[in-house]
């Protein structure tokens, strides 16, 4: 680290807060980096990168470019899916010698559909400290902007490239009552959507989050029945990076709610709010108070 590097970053007024925290030595820092927009890096990530003795990264050219954008010139060590175990040993030695090691991937959060988990495992096994420095993740960004109302999500990541394997994996997900989160490469998006259409009900909502945080960012939501037409409507859609979200399976409770709503609406045509709620509760077994509140809402919006 040169003096110019540290002074440039240190000049940011809020950097003081990042600097006040403690950054122990002999620690592996798992640092999230941007998924497209370089300014999505966190101040804490910058501070850790500034302090790090070495940066373990998937691709030294890509990470070198990122570090240069922030005026940093660091020693890097390549840590990718083909050498993670060997590199882990080297990093453990360096950590034992008291260094701070930053682990990054090409984009987003390391170890999430990216290399890193084996290194973290080895460092933990060696009894050394691991600290996450959270930031961008394509899955979380897509979920946050999807409008799919479900507190639960199930991260699948990449589906198998082979059709048969993909289909059998999707079959295991059919009854999962959580939003399903898939990562997909652009050249496989059509195959992926064809398999989704074959696996799930056509009424399920699907969200395509393409090129998040980049110039041609696109977030599209539609029923699964319309998904293939959307992908094929523009040749550009077979380029760029995708997160695909699929609405989870309806639970018995959801189905019961839909039925209760249907019954309540019919009864409200003929009865008072109080009567409709009482009768709907008897018919569907749902709670009278909740149905009463819902009936008031329906009446209020009519
Ligand atoms: N570790 C990363 C994370 O935290 O999201 C994921 C890395 S994984 C190798 C790459 C996949 O993540 C892409 O194929 C795509 O599915 C998704 N992805 C990454 N960046 C994205 C972006 N800007 N927009 C949409 N999807 C993205």
């Amino acid at each position: 680290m040169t003096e110019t590097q540290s002074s440039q970053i240190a000049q940011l007024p809020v950097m003081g807060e990042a600097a006040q925290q403690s950054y122990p030595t002999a620690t592996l820092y798992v640092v999230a980096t941007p998924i497209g927009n370089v300014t999505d890096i966190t101040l804490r990530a910058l501070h850790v990168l500034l302090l790090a003795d070495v940066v373990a990264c998937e691709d030294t050219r890509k990470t070198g470019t990122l570090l240069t954008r922030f005026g940093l010139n660091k020693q890097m060590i390549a840590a990718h899916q083909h050498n993670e175990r060997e590199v882990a040993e080297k990093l453990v030695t360096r950590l034992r010698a008291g260094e701070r090691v930053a682990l990054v991937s090409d984009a987003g959060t390391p170890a999430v559909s990216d290399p890193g988990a084996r290194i973290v495992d080895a460092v933990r096994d060696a009894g050394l400290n691991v600290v996450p420095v959270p930031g961008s993740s394509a899955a979380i960004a897509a979920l946050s902007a999807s409008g799919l109302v479900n507190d639960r999500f199930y991260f699948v990541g990449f589906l198998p490239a082979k059709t048969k394997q993909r289909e059998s994996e999707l079959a295991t997900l059919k009854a999962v009552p959580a939003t399903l989160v898939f990562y997909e490469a652009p050249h496989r998006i059509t195959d992926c959507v064809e398999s989704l259409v074959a696996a799930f009900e056509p009424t399920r909502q699907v969200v395509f989050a393409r090129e998040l945080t980049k110039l041609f960012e696109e977030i599209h939501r539609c029923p699964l029945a319309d998904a293939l037409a959307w992908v094929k409507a523009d040749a550009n859609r077979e380029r760029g990076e995708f997160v695909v979200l699929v609405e989870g399976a309806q639970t018995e409770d959801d189905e019961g709610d839909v039925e209760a709503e249907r019954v309540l609406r019919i009864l409200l045509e003929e009865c008072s709010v109080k009567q409709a709620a009482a009768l709907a509760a008897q018919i569907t077994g749902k709670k009278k108070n909740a149905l009463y509140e819902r009936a008031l809402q329906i009446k209020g919006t009519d």
Side-chain angles (χ1 to χ4, degrees):
M1 179 204 349
T2 64
E3 268 184 27
T4 327
Q5 290 166 19
S6 50
S7 66
Q8 277 169 350
I9 293 179
Q11 271 166 19
L12 296 168
V14 76
M15 279 306 279
E17 279 184 43
Q20 270 163 25
Q21 297 187 4
S22 89
Y23 296 92
T25 54
T27 297
L28 176 74
Y29 293 89
V30 185
V31 182
T33 56
I35 55 169
N37 188 320
V38 73
T39 64
D40 282 341
I41 196 143
T42 70
L43 296 179
R44 191 158 165 253
L46 283 179
H47 197 77
V48 165
L49 290 169
L50 187 69
L51 289 179
D53 296 293
V54 60
V55 179
C57 54
E58 243 186 303
D59 180 332
T60 52
R61 271 178 314 170
K62 282 192 183 153
T63 298
T65 307
L66 180 77
L67 294 176
T68 307
R69 303 277 309 261
F70 295 105
L72 297 170
N73 177 18
K74 288 278 155 176
Q75 188 192 355
M76 287 178 281
I77 180 164
H80 43 72
Q81 57 173 341
H82 305 296
N83 73 350
E84 249 194 283
R85 285 271 176 229
E86 300 98 84
V87 170
E89 280 175 35
K90 288 189 192 148
L91 294 179
V92 166
T93 307
R94 295 186 69 148
L95 288 164
R96 284 205 172 111
E99 292 193 349
R100 292 184 186 95
V101 177
L103 171 69
V104 302
S105 61
D106 283 353
T109 303
V112 176
S113 288
D114 259 344
R118 288 185 182 84
I119 290 174
V120 173
D121 180 41
V123 170
R124 288 199 167 284
D125 264 359
L128 292 155
N129 203 15
V130 180
V131 170
V133 182
S136 294
S137 159
I140 300 300
L143 281 164
S144 72
S146 72
L148 292 175
V149 183
N150 189 336
D151 287 337
R152 286 172 291 181
F153 67 87
Y154 184 110
F155 181 75
V156 183
F158 290 101
L159 284 166
K162 293 202 172 127
T163 309
K164 276 238 163 325
Q165 289 171 8
R166 192 166 56 241
E167 285 173 358
S168 62
E169 178 154 353
L170 288 174
T172 68
L173 300 171
K174 195 159 184 215
V176 175
T179 300
L180 302 172
V181 184
F182 301 97
Y183 279 173
E184 197 46 277
H187 63 280
R188 281 209 289 265
I189 190 70
T190 306
D191 289 350
C192 166
V193 173
E194 279 171 355
S195 297
L196 294 175
V197 169
F200 302 119
E201 301 85 344
T203 48
R204 286 207 203 184
Q205 293 288 301
V206 60
V207 175
F208 294 99
R210 184 175 157 268
E211 293 288 88
L212 289 169
T213 79
K214 301 186 199 176
L215 187 60
F216 296 108
E217 177 180 270
E218 200 172 13
I219 301 175
H220 178 75
R221 188 164 104 171
C222 62
L224 201 44
D226 300 338
L228 204 52
W230 181 80
V231 171
K232 291 194 166 170
D234 181 346
N236 284 321
R237 300 218 170 107
E238 292 182 57
R239 298 190 195 107
E241 300 192 277
F242 274 97
V243 180
V244 182
L245 306 176
V246 177
E247 188 182 7
Q250 294 234 317
T251 59
E252 270 180 29
D253 219 32
D254 294 335
E255 283 162 18
D257 288 346
V258 172
E259 179 58 7
E261 173 91 8
R262 193 183 71 82
V263 170
L264 191 61
R265 283 182 180 275
I266 294 170
L267 291 167
L268 280 171
E269 301 278 323
E270 307 293 336
C271 316
S272 70
V273 164
K274 203 171 159 194
Q275 282 173 322
L279 285 170
Q282 276 181 34
I283 296 166
T284 64
K286 294 272 166 188
K287 290 212 167 78
K288 192 163 80 181
N289 285 352
L291 289 165
Y292 182 76
E293 292 298 325
R294 181 65 193 133
L296 285 176
Q297 281 172 1
I298 295 171
K299 276 286 176 197
T301 53
D302 277 352

